[in-house]
Amino acid sequence: MAGMSDRSTTVDLLQGTLATLILKSLSWGPLHGYGIARWIEQVTEDELLVEEGSLYPALHRLQARELVSSQWTTSDTNRRVRLYTLTERGRQQLRAELSRWDRFSVAVTRALQARRPSKAV
Amino acid sequence: MSTSGRPERGIWRDTGADADDEIACHLEMHERDLIARGLPPDAARAEARRRFGSVESITRQVRSIDDQAARQQRRTGMWTDFRQDAAYALRGLRRAPGFTAVAVLTLALGIGANTAIFSVLNIALLRPLPYADGDRLVFVWNQHQGNTDNLGPGRMLDLRRQTTSFSGFAGISHLSYTLTGWGDPERIAASSVSSSFFDVLGARPLLGEPFHAGAADPAAAVLSHALWKRRFGGDRAIVGRTIVLNGRPRVVVAVMRPDFFWPSITARAGASPGPELWVPAGAGDIPRNAVDEDRDMTASRNAGYLRAVARLKPGVTPAQANAELAAVGARISSEHPEDGGRTAKLRTIREQFFGPVERPLFVLAGVVTLVLAIACANVAGLLLGRGAARRRDLALRRALGATRGRLARQLLTEATVLSFAGAAAGLVLAWWASAALAAAAPADFIGDQPLPLDARVLVFALGTSIVCGLAFGAVPALQLSRDALSGALSEGSARASGTRRAGRARDVLVAAEIALAVVLLVGSVLFVRSFLHLTRVDVGLDTRNLLTFDVTLTGDRAEYQARQVQFYEALQARLTRVPGVRAVGAAVTLPIGGDDFGTSYLPEGVPAPAAGSEPRAGYQVVTPGYFAAMGIPLKAGRDVRATDTRQAEPVVVINEQLARAAWPGQDPVGRRLRFSSDTEWARVVGVVGDIRHLGPSTEPRPEVYQPGSQRSFPFMAFVVRTETDPMAIAPSIRRAVAELDPALPLGGLRTMDQHLQRSLSKPRFLSTLVTGFGALAVALALIGIYAMMAWSVSERRQEFAIRLALGARGTAVMALVLRQALVLAAIGIAVGLVAARAAAAVIGGMLYGIQPTDPSAFMLTAAAVAAVALAACYVPARRALRVDPVGLLR
């Protein structure tokens, strides 16, 4: 872990993005909340600012929408942990979100990289 | 990490503890990681908490999300159960089409009748009035010797000035106008009202702007929506145009909205369809004389022709305002002895409009509720019988793990499905029935408004059906689910005990149905006999072959006043010559359904009583020949004559009641009396028979008749006695009038029989409805008793077979069945008679010529119901005989 890095350059999460990140984090297999938090931290190299606690309301909302399911299990250290699994509906939702995100980011990138304003009408 | 564990979908228990656990686990793991990376334990804990955020707030959020999801899931679960049960119930009902048809039809009749009556109640008692804050409007009346009286202009002015409870006060007097131009001349019912009238009501117009307090053009006129449609074809350009009323131009300033109504109100009765035209009255915000609109009566204190409507100030209750009115009214009377000790009182607008129909409506509502109760008892019995046949099925489901609650819920769902089907069919019936009701209801019942099946009525029907479903579903649901609980799949003791319990419930239902039918039948008999009494009452005149109509003379006042007497004489003479006419007369007010004028009088030679407590009599102005034409017998002296002119001595004819009241035991002819408002004495020249001026249900009262040649009115009602069907010569009558004056419209052309029928329309309406519902109740009870007895017999077939095999005589078995029925009938009838006795007290005031406790009505009903109950049992009893003992026992 990078420790207490300078966070002035981190960006806030867009609305709804956290939910998509959670779905993505579960796409390789079940994880508990703490695991999800670590995964987000690692893959974004601390670029995204997540208050870890806010994961849980998001997770439970996803569960209410039946995009994820959860089970209590016992960890290697004999601790009860709650594991979240992507449901079939969650997988479909993730696919839809990814394709939406692709279109969105391509469009924004295109706009931001435009050289000169197009001719005024 | 093992992935085995309990699944978290399904019903989530104790979500709070789960959330706490999960978050604690997160913090712990993070802390451990941080320590592993070299942080001291304290710093690790602090950092983990900092990165997490507010534990309490997040725990709260998570819990609320979980709770909401759990609730949602429970709802979905119940809905799914309900859908399954409903689908199951529907399949079951489809398999038993006969049962379903009878049950749905029975419920449809009950719910339909209730919904139709509710739609009348809805209009009369519940619907908001078409005035701003209409519940703050009140009518103000004089209170005089226990009677409610119209106000005189001077007195109303004083009441308005000296009270503080009201924010607005308006006087109304009713008159009629002849509208000319725009097609045939027509009499239009109209009101002359204070300029503040529309402001007090807070009524908004459709077009234009009605006149306002203190700012009324005396030549303004406001049209009702109906008049605007009828006479002016709904022409939106009508505002600002001139119409001609009684020969004078008036400017239309506004057209009211279609829902605006303002019924004619009399002190005595309720509301009837109102005027179609409003004109502003004279100065001082007080209407001019209703009879003679050009005469300013402001100075008159007690010429009682005004209705007054007032608006309560915010925060003032009707009771407070009423107390103030009584006090102020009495104070004014003490300052003005000529007010005769009058006080004042108010009635809320709902009391005034709907008070007289409230009781009949609640009686009808009670009647249809009883009908519905019988329908429910019937369906409960049907379900019970059906359930008995399904006992094995239920026991099986119970054995397969269904809880008792689950079975009961399924049975209730079945009942609910049934009652929704009944409600749907009932709404169709109600839609049809309320149209029929609106057409048949007397005008003063609900006015001339349509009966909309609005949202309130629909909610009522829906609510009724749910309540019914629960009511008739509860008995079998409890009963059968308990039977199923005993869990016997085999035919054995459980079956027998279940049968016994079902039999008891069935007996209670039969007795209850009989009791309800008795209550309704007693009511029907009372209403019918009361109505028959009314139709047989001798009103004191011969109503057959009598045509009536009224004429109102208009035009320049000075000219027509001089002409009035001659005109009536000329018209009477001309009418007498029409072929088929036997006799003709005219009076200022017709008996039965016409107006009612009263006067106070003093017989000569009697010490004058205190002002205000003079004896009162009905007041009429008649032409010579009126008594003969009406068939009112002359008992002594002579009729009025054409020679009783203004120049001759004033004379009157009195009826026997007045003769008895004024000069008991003496010959009244030749004596004199005077009207309290006059100083001149009038000589009694004749005595005529008593008539029931106000209709069959009102006793004759003292009446005094003045000759039209001595006191003329601009309007008169003519009566024409004909040889044959009076309506057949109506065209010749019209022609005769037109020959004399082509611009004179005939009003209210109808026969005296029609007047009589109209005056009986309310009791007829009531007795028809109550009798109809009574018959329906008996029919339903008959069906119910038959079905339940048939079921009872079929269950005892084995027993009967044994009895017959052991040598019992057929008649003995039949007697057994009938005796059981008779016991139930006796209990039901006894309970019913007691209940009917209590119910009859409620309708006592609505009956004529019969006591609500009339023993013959009760005995007749008891006998009829007993006969019906036995008849319903006869067929099942006969069937009991036809069992084949050998076949059954084998």
Side-chain angles (χ1 to χ4, degrees), chain B residues 483-678:
Chain B
D483 288 353
L485 192 63
S486 53
L489 278 171
S490 65
E491 306 276 316
S493 60
R495 174 167 194 260
S497 76
T499 307
R500 236 189 344 266
R501 269 200 297 273
R504 243 191 334 268
R506 176 183 59 209
D507 289 352
V508 170
L509 286 175
V510 168
E513 281 197 37
I514 290 176
L516 291 171
V518 165
V519 173
L520 286 177
L521 258 194
V522 167
S524 303
V525 171
L526 288 174
F527 271 113
V528 167
R529 299 218 358 218
S530 157
F531 179 68
L532 288 179
H533 276 289
L534 274 180
T535 58
R536 290 199 204 110
V537 163
D538 179 10
V539 291
L541 53 95
D542 182 3
T543 61
R544 288 163 303 166
N545 292 351
L546 208 52
L547 191 70
T548 76
F549 62 90
D550 49 71
V551 295
T552 303
L553 301 177
T554 60
D556 178 61
R557 223 193 116 63
E559 185 226 344
Y560 79 66
Q561 197 161 30
R563 276 184 46 218
Q564 271 169 18
V565 177
Q566 291 95 307
F567 183 87
Y568 295 136
E569 278 177 7
L571 183 55
Q572 188 162 341
R574 192 175 281 268
L575 291 173
T576 314
R577 287 197 301 273
V578 171
V581 168
R582 225 192 274 164
V584 180
V588 71
T589 67
L590 283 181
I592 310 169
D595 279 326
D596 175 33
F597 289 0
T599 180
S600 49
Y601 69 95
L602 288 173
E604 195 175 23
V606 173
S613 58
E614 301 95 341
R616 289 188 66 81
Y619 175 78
Q620 308 291 337
V621 165
V622 298
T623 63
Y626 171 76
F627 298 118
M630 287 294 266
I632 301 174
L634 190 65
K635 301 282 187 173
R638 65 168 175 87
D639 191 359
V640 299
R641 289 179 188 144
T643 51
D644 296 322
T645 60
R646 282 174 203 275
Q647 289 72 38
E649 182 192 32
V651 299
V652 291
V653 169
I654 60 175
N655 72 348
E656 293 179 291
Q657 287 265 347
L658 196 145
R660 265 197 299 279
W663 298 283
Q666 300 167 49
D667 180 8
V669 177
R671 295 179 179 271
R672 299 200 302 174
L673 59 76
R674 73 177 173 83
F675 301 108
S676 321
S677 52
D678 273 350

Side-chain angles (χ1 to χ4, degrees), chain B residues 269-341:
Chain B
S272 59
E276 296 192 299
L277 187 70
W278 297 270
V279 297
D285 229 355
I286 294 301
R288 288 154 191 259
N289 190 337
V291 170
D292 170 4
E293 54 163 312
D294 290 331
R295 189 142 54 115
D296 193 341
M297 295 278 286
T298 310
S300 165
R301 298 201 57 76
N302 291 315
Y305 61 87
L306 282 180
R307 333 273 187 253
V309 64
R311 179 173 285 279
L312 294 172
K313 274 184 187 160
V316 177
T317 66
Q320 288 164 353
N322 203 28
E324 189 193 18
L325 268 180
V328 171
R331 193 176 69 219
I332 294 171
S333 287
S334 68
E335 289 159 8
H336 291 274
E338 68 269 35
D339 284 5

Side-chain angles (χ1 to χ4, degrees), chain A residues 1 34 41 56 60 76 84, chain B residues 1 22 33 37 51 66:
Chain A
M1 185 187 172
Y34 180 69
E41 193 181 71
Y56 288 93
H60 283 243
D76 320 336
Y84 290 90
Chain B
M1 240 188 236
E22 188 177 17
D33 269 6
R37 280 161 204 232
R51 290 284 298 275
D66 287 0

Side-chain angles (χ1 to χ4, degrees), chain A residues 66-83:
Chain A
E66 294 179 13
L67 298 178
V68 304
S69 63
S70 70
Q71 292 152 319
W72 284 95
T73 65
T74 314
S75 72
D76 320 336
T77 55
N78 230 5
R79 192 177 195 322
R80 279 181 71 231
V81 293
R82 186 177 201 158
L83 275 189

